[in-house]
Amino acid sequence: TQLLEQSPQFLSIQEGENLTVYCNSSSVFSSLQWYRQEPGEGPVLLVTVVTGGEVKKLKRLTFQFGDARKDSSLHITAAQPGDTGLYLCAGHIYNQGGKLIFGQGTELSVKP
Amino acid sequence: DTGVSQDPRHKITKRGQNVTFRCDPISEHNRLYWYRQTLGQGPEFLTYFQNEAQLEKSRLLSDRFSAERPKGSFSTLEIQRTEQGDSAMYLCASNRFSGGNTDTQYFGPGTRLTVL
């Protein structure tokens, strides 16, 4: 059973389109992080959200943490080919120590 | 910060051989984590240390796997009698634990293991 369900797993869109990636769980997370990973490299942190209902913006990327801290979303506006990569959500389940629980990842391809 | 470093970046070995990977965390980070990532999947937690102490081990970590962090700085992950199913990217991360488990983890570039 996947503790953090991420969807969609694959997304292929044209430059300029908008997209949203979702992460859902039945568990409460004390924090949730979004990473981007390039082939052959480790994940690179994009943002950390901690408070239920929190919204953070990073240029064309908008991150939201659900009110109940069980879900999160990443929205990209006007996607560009440089946004292509693997996007991962990960979080700390409340009261379960320091390990991160990852979603399956979303492989995004933005075509020019 | 020089970032988390891992060595080697790539390792090809024959089934049954032992391999050892090294991770150097960001200096002054007291926590160090190991994850494993197979193709097309998100990373899976293996184990983590706070200073020298190994605080948690996943059930994924069979008896063939052992990790150490003897001086609370770098860590090694050894796999004995490798199997083809061990082929994966092994990721190391570190952070400075400040009392809450929301502290950001910073990842190294990973070691790609291929078992033939």
Side-chain angles (χ1 to χ4, degrees):
Chain A
T1 305
Q2 190 75 24
L3 285 174
L4 197 51
E5 294 284 346
Q6 186 171 344
S7 63
Q9 282 193 268
F10 301 95
L11 200 49
S12 182
I13 61 172
Q14 293 295 128
E15 182 176 1
E17 292 183 2
N18 301 333
L19 67 115
T20 302
V21 179
Y22 300 92
C23 269
N24 295 286
S25 177
S26 56
S27 301
V28 176
F29 285 82
S30 52
S31 72
L32 201 134
Q33 298 162 358
W34 285 90
Y35 291 85
R36 179 176 160 185
Q37 187 176 23
E38 300 291 337
E41 299 295 328
V44 176
L45 181 73
L46 295 174
V47 78
T48 298
V49 286
V50 176
T51 306
E54 184 174 3
V55 177
K56 282 192 174 180
K57 291 192 175 185
L58 188 66
K59 296 184 181 177
R60 295 175 294 102
L61 277 61
T62 301
F63 305 87
Q64 189 160 5
F65 200 15
D67 291 341
R69 292 185 291 153
K70 293 182 178 181
D71 56 272
S72 182
S73 64
L74 157 62
H75 182 79
I76 301 180
T77 304
Q80 299 176 0
D83 295 329
T84 293
L86 179 68
Y87 290 82
L88 295 159
C89 62
H92 294 100
I93 293 180
Y94 186 69
N95 266 349
Q96 287 197 17
K99 64 179 179 285
L100 277 174
I101 304 299
F102 279 85
Q104 303 97 315
T106 295
E107 190 71 58
L108 172 65
S109 173
V110 183
K111 297 181 178 5
Chain B
D1 282 339
T2 56
V4 178
S5 61
Q6 293 187 246
D7 184 68
R9 293 293 307 275
H10 303 275
K11 178 71 177 178
I12 300 175
T13 191
K14 292 183 179 178
R15 189 176 53 188
Q17 297 293 306
N18 299 343
V19 294
T20 300
F21 310 140
R22 176 178 169 126
C23 171
D24 286 88
I26 294 171
S27 62
E28 298 183 1
H29 277 189
N30 54 359
R31 282 195 171 177
L32 185 149
Y33 307 79
W34 286 100
Y35 295 85
R36 179 171 68 188
Q37 185 177 25
T38 53
L39 209 59
Q41 299 295 317
E44 294 175 301
F45 168 77
L46 293 178
T47 188
Y48 83 99
F49 295 83
Q50 181 163 314
N51 301 314
E52 306 88 353
Q54 190 171 20
L55 293 190
E56 187 175 351
K57 288 170 60 173
S58 165
R59 282 173 291 178
L60 291 175
L61 215 63
S62 77
D63 291 345
R64 297 184 297 104
F65 287 70
S66 63
E68 294 182 342
R69 195 183 183 201
K71 297 180 181 178
S73 55
F74 73 92
S75 175
T76 57
L77 177 67
E78 181 183 16
I79 309 174
Q80 296 182 327
R81 304 180 303 282
T82 52
E83 301 172 357
Q84 288 183 325
D86 297 331
S87 296
M89 174 79 92
Y90 289 83
L91 293 164
C92 176
S94 72
N95 66 5
R96 183 172 182 79
F97 177 64
S98 57
N101 284 320
T102 61
D103 303 309
T104 298
Q105 293 182 20
Y106 297 90
F107 282 81
T111 295
R112 168 73 65 190
L113 172 66
T114 302
V115 182
L116 301 175

